[in-house]
Amino acid sequence: MNATIHSLKGKDLLTLIDFSSEEIHDLLTLASELKQKQLAGQAYTPLTGKTLAMIFEKPSTRTRVSFEVGMTQLGGHALYLNSNDLQIGRGETIADTARVLSQYVDAIMIRTFAHSKIEELAQYATVPVINGLTDDDHPCQALADLLTIYETKKQLKGLKLVYVGDGNNVAHGLMIAAAKVGMDCTIACPVGYEPKEQYVEAAIEVAKQTGSQIVVTHSPQEAVKHADVIYTDVWTSMGQEQESQQRLAVFQPFQVNEQLVKQAKPDYMFLHCLPAHRDEEVTAGVIDSDHSYVFEQAGNRLHVQKAILLSLLSC
């Protein structure tokens, strides 16, 4: 059986705000089909001769390995580039870098800081641009999260997803992804660490169309009541190291621990985008419990990246 290719040729993946609910469901279906092919040992190499440029201004484990392995499994080649490998690190403009790379490769994936950088890259590139992570959004992670939830719960619409912690790029991506597929999403965060208003407003607008709810609260105890899925992330992200001690104090009441999860449904799932700091944002007892699907979640990054690549590069 050949995997179904849902062509998104000509699109960039900068944020899931730009994708319809149908396109997101198509990507998840394709990711599932590709996963089954791999588990069955069926080679599938439709991207033979294609090259993906991978720009890393932030280091990565899951993003680099999943994209590189995914491109290889599909028959293509992935080229790892960091700031030291590119003239962008010596003052070449984003626009010129985009124009030059477009002469050589079939797609560009970038993991960087400012979201404006990836927007400029996409503006001037003539090949698809994929957001591997910015300070504002993490759409590839959110797609892998949805796939993991669907595999376990056999549904998405109507579930309650609760994110506890910093209102960061992961929270932004989750809100949008949840709203697009009709999941209720609650973000529980300390005062002053709420998700950006533009993402909250965008998620609420989408939720009106899909019949879901988006809530931002400062009470983790109230948030996790009757939760189907509990999600957290590190309290100090890359670039925030100087705030580490302050954040440890502020976020302590938002730790996902054995007491907190008692408020969730008995069959709740625990998710974390990893890397995790055990006994900071989550206790070892929760992340290593039978409720935890963090490694399945990490594994699904591979299948989602393959679906993204195949969809954006399909003819």
Side-chain angles (χ1 to χ4, degrees), residues 1 73 85 182:
M1 180 186 75
Q73 289 181 355
D85 298 321

Side-chain angles (χ1 to χ4, degrees), residues 148-205:
T148 308
I149 295 167
Y150 184 78
E151 287 177 337
T152 305
K153 297 294 187 181
K154 309 305 180 188
Q155 68 180 89
L156 292 172
K157 188 173 180 62
L159 294 179
K160 181 180 179 180
L161 167 65
V162 178
Y163 173 93
V164 181
D166 190 16
N168 60 12
N169 48 7
V170 173
H172 293 159
L174 276 175
M175 278 194 302
I176 300 299
K180 291 279 185 176
V181 298
M183 292 176 63
D184 295 333
C185 182
T186 298
I187 307 294
C189 56
V191 174
Y193 294 88
E194 297 86 357
K196 288 188 174 181
E197 192 61 34
Q198 69 197 66
Y199 276 89
V200 176
E201 291 176 355
I204 289 173
E205 284 304 308

Side-chain angles (χ1 to χ4, degrees), residues 11-27:
K11 290 197 73 163
D12 301 307
L13 176 53
L14 308 187
T15 172
L16 293 179
I17 295 172
D18 300 331
F19 283 66
S20 69
S21 298
E22 292 74 21
E23 287 172 332
I24 290 172
H25 280 293
D26 283 351
L27 281 169

